[in-house]
Amino acid sequence: ILLSLFLLGFGFWFWQGKKPPVTKQPAKTEEPSPQPELSLPPSLIPTQGAKLISISNNEEIPAILAQLTKTEIPLGSFSRVAIKNSEENRWASLSDLASAFKIDVPSEIFGKLDPNFTLAIFSQKEGGRIALVAKTSDSPGLINLLKNWDKNVAKNVIILDEKKFQPLTSYFRIAGFRGISIKYLTFSRNDVGIVYLIFNDYFVLTSSFGSMEKIIEGLHKSFNAFPIV
């Protein structure tokens, strides 16, 4: 009986061992679909060319813009800057820019602005300056929000062009150009500061008075947005 059991067991093992090994089919891997191309919205101001920049995080933005202000741009003209977040395949938002420069901006302000804004570098004799133009469908609401915002900003150190600036005054002042009221906060006599205006359905923010003047003239000429007085 023991011998019979042994032979049966051996035969079972022998024939099992003769079976060809089962080969596992390699798992099929699907190649990631290519990311769709981003279309750049039309510029809101006249510009000479565009510089397309790719980033992986917002912290890269200040250094990139600082470098772009040193590039050769025809004096008195704007060069558009389009910043793409390569990780998320999207254009950098207004909140991305505020976060990059460590400027505390209430989310309600972003909600009043069209996301298809225009960012540009302006070439003036003092050097390159940053300019931003966006449209708004609620100018009165945006004006009220910015009144509270600029009081807070004027009391804090702001980072511009990778440098920390202390405002020369603790409040925004008002100036007029071509019949338009402009609010500005000066950081340097070399025409560096925060300058902004809201008129009709346009919001304009620049880092110099010179670039603001150019934008006002350009918007009136190209889009008839502002009345020239």
Side-chain angles (χ1 to χ4, degrees):
I1 294 173
L2 290 175
L3 181 61
S4 299
L5 291 175
F6 172 78
L7 291 174
L8 287 173
F10 176 79
F12 178 79
W13 170 83
F14 179 80
W15 291 111
Q16 283 292 105
K18 289 292 186 180
K19 290 183 178 180
V22 178
T23 57
K24 292 184 178 181
Q25 296 294 329
K28 293 183 179 180
T29 57
E30 295 184 1
E31 294 185 1
S33 56
Q35 294 181 329
E37 288 292 329
L38 295 178
S39 59
L40 191 61
S43 179
L44 298 176
I45 56 174
T47 59
Q48 293 194 6
K51 301 180 184 300
L52 304 179
I53 308 299
S54 181
I55 62 168
S56 57
N57 59 74
N58 295 337
E59 286 71 22
E60 301 172 35
I61 294 177
I64 290 174
L65 289 181
Q67 185 62 36
L68 290 177
T69 60
K70 299 177 178 64
T71 58
E72 290 294 330
I73 301 172
L75 191 66
S77 63
F78 290 93
S79 177
R80 189 175 187 183
V81 180
I83 303 176
K84 176 185 176 182
N85 186 312
S86 58
E87 296 294 317
E88 301 178 17
N89 191 41
R90 62 174 178 82
W91 299 118
S93 66
L94 290 169
S95 61
D96 290 331
L97 296 178
S99 172
F101 285 96
K102 298 178 173 28
I103 301 176
D104 186 19
V105 180
S107 59
E108 292 84 1
I109 291 179
F110 298 131
K112 300 289 184 183
L113 298 172
D114 190 298
N116 295 324
F117 62 92
T118 297
L119 181 67
I121 302 295
F122 179 68
S123 175
Q124 59 186 71
K125 62 180 182 179
E126 295 86 357
R129 298 293 185 265
I130 300 171
L132 184 148
V133 183
K135 300 197 76 174
T136 176
S137 58
D138 184 10
S139 294
L142 183 59
I143 290 172
N144 289 331
L145 288 171
L146 287 174
K147 283 180 180 178
N148 295 324
W149 172 78
D150 63 29
K151 291 178 183 178
N152 179 57
V153 169
K155 298 175 182 178
N156 293 285
V157 174
I158 303 297
I159 298 177
L160 294 172
D161 300 339
E162 296 185 292
K163 300 176 183 178
K164 290 185 177 180
F165 287 89
Q166 182 67 47
L168 300 184
T169 60
S170 60
Y171 56 90
F172 275 79
R173 290 182 285 181
I174 299 176
F177 179 73
R178 305 279 186 164
I180 306 300
S181 293
I182 304 169
K183 299 193 74 173
Y184 67 98
L185 184 68
T186 304
F187 291 99
S188 167
R189 301 297 181 188
N190 199 32
D191 197 12
V192 177
I194 295 179
V195 188
Y196 78 87
L197 65 78
I198 302 170
F199 194 87
N200 289 351
D201 56 351
Y202 281 87
F203 168 73
V204 183
L205 175 70
T206 70
S207 65
S208 73
F209 210 92
S211 55
M212 178 62 78
E213 292 177 348
K214 187 71 173 181
I215 286 178
I216 291 175
E217 294 176 343
L219 282 173
H220 171 76
K221 181 179 179 180
S222 300
F223 302 98
N224 198 27
F226 301 140
I228 300 298
V229 177

